[in-house]
Amino acid sequence: KTDQFGNVGKEIFTITKTGSFKDAKKVMNDLVGDLGKNATDYISTTGKGKNPFYGKTVGKQSADGKKYWRVDWDEANGAHINWVNGKEKGSIPFTGDLEQAKRIIENEVIK
């Protein structure tokens, strides 16, 4: 499987000690680093009608789009943070169901 950068799919999968969103976000910050002064909101634009987060702010991205993170949820992986830092990408699961991911997006991501 080839990703949007033309790389054959190798994703870094990271498990945190507690499994909390707070720990997942801390690990993600260490992996992605500073998004820069002109960072913008990452708005979910895929899966209209199927994606419960379509049109919502789900994360942040650098001005050039080469670094970003977003909160996501799917049946296979549950609640998780997807991140990209240049050519590296990964996923960090955290404890919670779809409703927990929705609450995080509504209450924590946009702050």
Side-chain angles (χ1 to χ4, degrees), residues 40-91:
T40 60
D41 290 343
Y42 187 104
I43 298 171
S44 184
T45 59
T46 59
K48 188 174 183 177
K50 296 179 183 177
N51 179 352
F53 310 130
Y54 181 83
K56 295 189 182 294
T57 299
V58 294
K60 297 284 183 188
Q61 65 185 350
S62 61
D64 63 8
K66 292 181 179 179
K67 293 168 65 167
Y68 66 82
W69 63 270
R70 70 178 189 265
V71 173
D72 204 352
W73 182 90
D74 61 54
E75 286 286 340
N77 301 304
H80 57 282
I81 298 174
N82 286 320
W83 61 269
V84 169
N85 184 354
K87 291 188 175 185
E88 288 186 325
K89 68 178 186 171
S91 178

